[in-house]
Amino acid sequence: MDDLLTSANRILEKNWNGNYTIPAKSLYPHQWSWDSCFTAIGNSYVNTDRAIKELQYLINAQWKNGMIPNIVFDEKEKSYFPSTDFYEIKRSENAPENISTSGITQPPVHSIACYYIYKNAKDKTKGLRFLEKNYQNLKKFQNYLVTNRDPENSGLTTILHPWESGMDNSPIWDEPLSNIVIKDLPEFKNTDKKIVERSKASRTDEEDYKKLLYLLELMKQNNYDEKKIYSKFPFKIKDVLFSSIFHVANKYLVEIANIIGEDTKEIERWIAQTEKNFYKYFLSDEKEFNSSEDNLFFDYDLIQKEWIKKKTVASFIPIYTGLMSKEDVQNFVKWIKHSHFCTNNGFCHVPAVPGADTNEPYFNKSNYWRGPIWINTNWMLWIGLLKYGFKDEAEVIKSAVFELVKNHGFREYYNPTTGEGIGGNDFSWTAALVIDMIKRNGNEI
């Protein structure tokens, strides 16, 4: 464990650019929102100042309406596409001044990461000042997600683009994207061609990629006016993973409010809304939930008014929320252990949970979010299992993660059949979350 910890810390050190930690050199040269949050969680154990600086840099890019963007761009880096020029965020009156960002968001891990910084800081006064400085920004982001992104008053977040989910090319988006007709897409020059070509077998196909750019183009045409966008946008999904993290983040926000002496009533109302509607929106048949492996949690398509019944790792992330009953979690554990999610079928290299059900036609062992093992989703499952007292099952996942990084490197994601590392080398959030799995003392909120 000492060697593993040293290696993980070395990667975070290497990827630090003075303001934030890049996810992986050459492949991802900018600051990504939930990447930085995961990285700050790892750094909270070993470098409080760096964790604070990373999240402060991200929060400083917050839009006036509360949105924290999924990318903060380094304008010196021109290799990544879509670049800051493509987003044209100055069309929006809410865009930050003198900071280049994208025009979409990402899962709200921010309150969680900020609490970690305070909890693990040796200098609690420094941690407290950081919370006091940023509490209103964190609350404003959560409020944005429960208002602008939830006019249904469900307590669940609507995403307007697959990239907002963090699971960019998941099978979940296949059907919603298939219903989108591109009416007008300006020509674009992908300056990332060399990297894309190297990763062609493990990335989004060209037709879907055009639709992803078309969704951004529609946002630009509406000047990022979310009321206009929401009323007529062709892609609106209540997302299980995003909403699960949103709920956990609200619980951490309550904890932060208690630490600094702020009122929590409004946040508690958000939490109650989520608790009321989570099963309603994400279970197609709540009565039959425990009787069939087909009854998992699924995203809900607001355009088609139906569930997107794709069996992916997102279906299990609700275990992270604390919203499930012990009985429901017990059934989850059975499914994870004996269904087609990598254990007891002789198919997988280690018993970590892959991106999709290995028996489904959309499973692809090397394609990004369509099959490979990701450390951040397994980290959430590990925490969820610990919350409900399934220590042995949690240990299985943790041991699987450690085997992957020890023998196959700190990679972006992993082939579930061989363990081979794929995507970015020396990937920051993999290193950061391994640090947390080694050093964590006690369960989460």
Side-chain angles (χ1 to χ4, degrees):
M1 289 301 102
D2 287 344
D3 290 344
L4 202 58
L5 195 59
T6 299
S7 298
N9 284 325
R10 189 180 298 124
I11 287 168
L12 297 189
E13 180 75 31
K14 183 179 78 170
N15 289 344
W16 176 251
N17 74 357
N19 291 313
Y20 56 85
T21 311
I22 59 173
K25 289 196 172 181
S26 75
L27 194 57
Y28 303 112
H30 307 291
Q31 182 178 33
W32 268 262
S33 184
W34 74 332
D35 291 69
S36 276
C37 293
F38 291 132
T39 301
I41 287 171
N43 269 326
S44 71
Y45 292 96
V46 295
N47 196 323
T48 301
D49 289 342
R50 184 170 292 175
I52 286 175
K53 190 171 185 179
E54 173 129 20
L55 284 195
Q56 193 64 65
Y57 194 84
L58 177 62
I59 292 170
N60 288 347
Q62 186 171 32
W63 286 37
K64 295 181 182 70
N65 61 1
M67 184 185 79
I68 295 179
N70 79 317
I71 302 175
V72 182
F73 289 101
D74 179 350
E75 293 193 13
K76 297 189 299 293
E77 294 287 348
K78 303 298 182 183
S79 61
Y80 185 83
F81 184 84
S83 65
T84 180
D85 294 337
F86 184 87
Y87 281 96
E88 299 179 37
I89 63 169
K90 295 305 178 185
R91 290 171 177 251
S92 172
E93 61 183 17
N94 289 309
E97 297 176 8
N98 305 317
I99 300 176
S100 297
T101 77
S102 67
I104 57 176
T105 192
Q106 233 175 8
V109 190
H110 310 72
S111 298
I112 304 168
C114 288
Y115 175 79
Y116 267 82
I117 291 172
Y118 171 79
K119 177 188 174 187
N120 294 325
K122 292 179 181 178
D123 184 346
K124 283 290 186 285
T125 301
K126 182 182 291 185
L128 183 63
R129 285 201 302 266
F130 173 68
L131 294 184
E132 289 173 338
K133 180 178 180 180
N134 290 288
Y135 170 74
Q136 292 299 333
N137 299 83
L138 297 171
K139 186 177 178 184
K140 191 175 181 181
F141 183 34
Q142 295 295 104
N143 182 67
Y144 161 82
L145 295 173
V146 83
T147 53
N148 293 45
R149 295 303 188 90
D150 185 33
E152 302 83 9
N153 294 316
S154 65
L156 309 166
T157 307
T158 301
I159 61 169
L160 302 174
H161 196 287
W163 291 346
E164 292 194 317
S165 72
M167 299 174 64
D168 296 13
N169 74 330
S170 170
I172 298 170
W173 321 127
D174 291 352
E175 290 168 16
L177 288 177
S178 72
N179 294 320
I180 293 174
V181 178
I182 297 176
K183 296 180 181 178
D184 182 31
L185 180 63
E187 288 187 12
F188 61 90
K189 183 179 180 181
N190 190 341
T191 57
D192 194 30
K193 280 183 178 177
K194 289 183 180 178
I195 295 173
V196 170
E197 188 60 35
R198 283 204 305 271
S199 308
K200 192 172 182 180
S202 62
R203 301 288 170 160
T204 308
D205 68 51
E206 187 175 349
E207 283 307 307
D208 280 349
Y209 192 71
K210 288 179 180 178
K211 290 181 178 181
L212 297 175
L213 295 181
Y214 176 64
L215 291 175
L216 298 179
E217 189 63 31
L218 289 178
M219 293 179 185
K220 288 156 55 178
Q221 290 173 11
N222 285 281
N223 298 322
Y224 295 102
D225 183 326
E226 299 220 10
K227 287 186 177 179
K228 288 183 180 178
I229 292 170
Y230 208 95
S231 66
K232 57 187 177 182
F233 213 59
F235 185 98
K236 290 189 291 189
I237 309 291
K238 291 292 185 187
D239 183 49
V240 171
L241 181 141
F242 200 116
S243 293
S244 294
I245 294 174
F246 170 75
H247 182 66
V248 175
N250 277 332
K251 290 196 284 187
Y252 275 86
L253 198 57
V254 166
E255 192 69 16
I256 291 171
N258 288 331
I259 291 168
I260 65 175
E262 293 282 348
D263 185 81
T264 63
K265 289 180 182 176
E266 186 174 22
I267 310 167
E268 287 168 355
R269 285 198 297 272
W270 301 341
I271 289 171
Q273 276 185 306
T274 307
E275 290 173 344
K276 178 182 177 182
N277 292 300
F278 196 88
Y279 274 57
K280 174 184 172 182
Y281 268 84
F282 295 137
L283 277 183
S284 59
D285 192 341
E286 188 173 342
K287 293 179 181 177
E288 299 296 323
F289 178 58
N290 293 326
S291 65
S292 169
E293 289 183 4
D294 291 329
N295 289 316
L296 299 172
F297 288 91
F298 297 114
D299 279 24
Y300 187 76
D301 188 334
L302 292 170
I303 303 296
Q304 300 299 320
K305 293 183 170 49
E306 61 184 14
W307 287 272
I308 306 170
K309 295 187 177 180
K310 294 293 177 71
K311 298 177 187 176
T312 72
V313 66
S315 291
F316 295 111
I317 296 301
I319 199 174
Y320 179 51
T321 65
L323 283 167
M324 300 176 66
S325 69
K326 185 70 177 283
E327 180 186 14
D328 288 347
V329 172
Q330 285 174 328
N331 279 279
F332 249 31
V333 171
K334 290 178 185 176
W335 295 343
I336 292 171
K337 290 174 71 173
H338 81 258
S339 67
H340 309 302
F341 280 88
C342 251
T343 55
N344 293 346
N345 60 7
F347 179 78
C348 288
H349 180 68
V350 291
V353 180
D357 185 324
T358 60
N359 271 23
E360 292 294 336
Y362 43 79
F363 171 80
N364 185 315
K365 63 186 178 183
S366 61
N367 194 322
Y368 214 35
W369 287 99
R370 303 183 74 85
I373 292 168
W374 288 77
I375 301 307
N376 65 334
T377 49
N378 277 273
W379 174 79
M380 289 181 233
L381 296 179
W382 171 69
I383 291 171
L385 290 167
L386 288 175
K387 282 182 182 180
Y388 285 95
F390 292 96
K391 294 182 180 180
D392 292 342
E393 291 79 3
E395 185 64 30
V396 167
I397 286 182
K398 183 170 78 168
S399 297
V401 167
F402 288 172
E403 193 280 342
L404 288 171
V405 297
K406 281 192 288 187
N407 294 315
H408 305 279
F410 290 86
R411 300 298 296 270
E412 187 176 0
Y413 45 99
Y414 300 85
N415 182 320
T417 64
T418 66
E420 175 194 6
I422 316 172
N425 288 302
D426 294 341
F427 198 69
S428 293
W429 89 31
T430 299
L433 297 181
V434 165
I435 292 172
D436 181 60
M437 294 176 98
I438 293 173
K439 296 185 73 72
R440 172 184 296 271
N441 180 21
N443 292 343
E444 291 215 345
I445 294 165

